[in-house]
Amino acid sequence: MSLAAAVLAGGRSSRMGTTKALVEIDGCAMADRVLDAARAIGADPVVIVGGDPEELASLSAPVVADQHPGEGPVGGVLAALRHFVDAGGGAERVDRVLVLPCDLAHVDADTLFPLVEAEAGDGFSQVWVAATDRLEPMCAIWSVDALDRIQERFDAGERALHAVIGELPHAAVTVDPDGLVNINTPDDLPE
């Protein structure tokens, strides 16, 4: 099984006042911190989905167009899965895609590794979603086999990621909540 990763960076960042993917924490852009965590668990290749390719050119992964801009994270998940399915003619087919938001300042391999472990031992689920005291739908590994069902739900108007996950065979995987803290405003930035 081959695991790829996609970091979603297509949001407006209106509460942050600047492009969140590029906000630096300890000298590293937030999106690069997330990409590094994905690489640390063996995800390859990694891409950024959404955002302005010119503005995001300094980041450490290629930018893939969001085929559904303004349609929320379900559109971002679709764009990520579609990208890897369409690029599947290469030497190694991608079977699973870790999808994460660009604004996780503290995510690391220890946060993500339980998802990889759960996925490796599960031949039934199509989504392995992080769980703290609740599901964290923006941090999940998606099987590319779920693409058609996600597209159906999207075409039917579903935009809530948790609702899409609820309609697929899925596993909730407990992870460290400290690694999934979103940085949405300047006040959320670590001091």
Side-chain angles (χ1 to χ4, degrees):
M1 299 280 180
S2 176
L3 176 67
V7 174
L8 304 184
R12 292 181 306 221
S13 300
S14 55
R15 290 183 285 168
M16 182 60 75
T18 189
T19 303
K20 283 198 285 187
L22 298 174
V23 171
E24 289 192 4
I25 295 177
D26 296 331
C28 184
M30 274 200 295
D32 276 336
R33 293 173 71 91
V34 178
L35 289 162
D36 289 346
R39 288 182 185 107
I41 61 162
D44 182 41
V46 297
V47 298
I48 298 164
V49 174
D52 180 341
E54 288 183 27
E55 182 182 21
L56 301 178
S58 65
L59 297 174
S60 66
V63 177
V64 172
D66 184 348
Q67 300 161 346
H68 309 285
E71 295 291 340
V74 176
V77 168
L78 275 175
L81 294 178
R82 180 73 58 207
H83 167 75
F84 289 113
V85 166
D86 290 349
E92 189 171 351
R93 179 181 182 266
V94 168
D95 297 299
R96 309 280 193 260
V97 180
L98 171 65
V99 179
L100 299 161
C102 69
D103 60 359
L104 299 177
H106 306 294
V107 71
D108 58 15
D110 289 340
T111 304
L112 301 176
F113 194 68
L115 290 168
V116 175
E117 285 184 313
E119 179 272 326
D122 179 352
F124 173 73
S125 298
Q126 291 186 328
V127 186
W128 297 264
V129 59
T132 55
D133 59 341
R134 61 187 173 90
L135 286 184
E136 303 286 350
M138 288 292 293
C139 178
I141 294 177
W142 297 79
S143 169
V144 296
D145 294 338
L147 179 59
D148 290 341
R149 183 69 179 134
I150 300 165
Q151 186 70 59
E152 287 173 12
R153 298 307 307 135
F154 184 82
D155 292 345
E158 184 60 69
R159 296 300 181 266
L161 203 50
H162 69 277
V164 172
I165 291 170
E167 293 185 25
L168 293 166
H170 66 279
V173 181
T174 302
V175 301
D176 180 1
D178 294 339
L180 297 184
V181 174
N182 293 93
I183 305 297
N184 293 312
T185 69
D187 291 339
D188 295 336
L189 290 167
E191 297 190 20

